[in-house]
Amino acid sequence: DAGITQSPRHKVTETGTPVTLRCHQTENHRYMYWYRQDPGHGLRLIHYSYGVKDTDKGEVSDGYSVSRSKTEDFLLTLESATSSQTSVYFCAISWGPGGEQYFGPGTRLTVT
Amino acid sequence: GESVGLHLPTLSVQEGDNSIINCAYSNSASDYFIWYKQESGKGPQFIIDIRSNMDKRQGQRVTVLLNKTVKHLSLQIAATQPGDSAVYFCAEKTPDKLVFGAGTILRVKS
């Protein structure tokens, strides 16, 4: 987890409220990713970024938006949280596309 | 405990024995593969990788084997230790991202 932090690490929120998760890296990697992890599903890609202000959708992007205004920060926003978004969220970074990814410690989000 | 482990295949081995964890991949054009280890409450950690021009790669106590004919790779852990208990994922490289398998739970019995 060295060089990658996620905040908050745990959050409980109510249905319909907005939530923003933050990923911060000190490694100057170009690519950043947001995944969610649910029982039996492995890691599923939500959104990724290939540079400042450059983002693209992953396989489960509905209900999520992202922003990257600086190399070191990648934000994931749930505009109106739903119970189906209860999950563990991981941020990852890599030098290039499809290369080795380094993961943060995760954020456990519970939507009640 | 970590809820990510629910519904995953489980491999139980005796401490000191060798472990073999298997993974099937889907895309015959995939040219790079990674094995990750995820301990309870933590993010995945890189273990070892292999490119498609290789059949075998060895690390410290770990070996990855790649069989492109049947689209299969395996992770072998020698002399398994209690600290090896975790969920293990394989990942395959598509043109612009990694695709992860669901994972296998490794439990080490002392």
Side-chain angles (χ1 to χ4, degrees), chain B residues 23-92:
Chain B
C23 179
Y25 62 94
S26 56
N27 189 344
S28 57
S30 295
D31 60 1
Y32 178 60
F33 304 87
I34 305 174
W35 279 99
Y36 284 90
K37 173 186 180 182
Q38 186 176 23
E39 297 175 276
S40 181
K42 297 184 178 180
Q45 286 181 286
F46 172 90
I47 301 174
I48 191 168
D49 58 2
I50 188 168
R51 300 206 175 271
S52 59
N53 60 352
M54 303 171 70
D55 297 324
K56 178 180 179 179
R57 190 168 188 211
Q58 288 184 291
Q60 187 177 13
R61 275 201 312 119
V62 295
T63 300
V64 56
L65 299 178
L66 176 62
N67 185 330
K68 295 180 285 294
T69 301
V70 294
K71 293 189 287 186
H72 180 272
L73 67 159
S74 65
L75 177 71
Q76 301 179 0
I77 304 173
T80 311
Q81 302 169 0
D84 295 327
S85 292
V87 177
Y88 289 81
F89 301 94
C90 65
E92 63 179 299

Side-chain angles (χ1 to χ4, degrees), chain A residues 11 15 21 23 33 44 47-48 53 63 92 94 102-103 110:
Chain A
K11 186 169 181 66
T15 298
L21 309 183
C23 177
Y33 309 82
R44 293 185 290 174
H47 281 280
Y48 67 101
K53 292 185 168 52
S94 71
Y102 302 92
F103 285 82
T110 302

Side-chain angles (χ1 to χ4, degrees), chain A residues 8-9 12 15 18 21-22 25 48 55 76-77 84 100:
Chain A
R9 294 294 313 280
V12 179
T15 298
L21 309 183
R22 179 180 184 238
Q25 61 146 330
Y48 67 101
T55 65
L76 176 71
T77 297
S84 65
E100 179 183 340

Side-chain angles (χ1 to χ4, degrees), chain A residues 1 9 31 33 35 37-43 45 48 56-58 88 90 97-106 108, chain B residues 1-8 32 34 36 38 41-46 49 89 93-98 100-103:
Chain A
D1 297 350
R9 294 294 313 280
Y31 282 73
Y33 309 82
Y35 292 91
Q37 186 175 50
D38 303 289
H41 284 279
L43 291 158
L45 182 65
Y48 67 101
D56 205 350
K57 295 179 179 180
V88 180
F90 287 100
E100 179 183 340
Q101 294 181 15
Y102 302 92
F103 285 82
R108 182 175 293 278
Chain B
E2 182 55 65
S3 62
V4 70
L6 290 177
H7 312 303
L8 295 179
Y32 178 60
I34 305 174
Y36 284 90
Q38 186 176 23
K42 297 184 178 180
Q45 286 181 286
F46 172 90
D49 58 2
F89 301 94
K93 175 182 175 291
T94 66
D96 57 356
K97 57 182 77 76
L98 292 179
F100 293 85

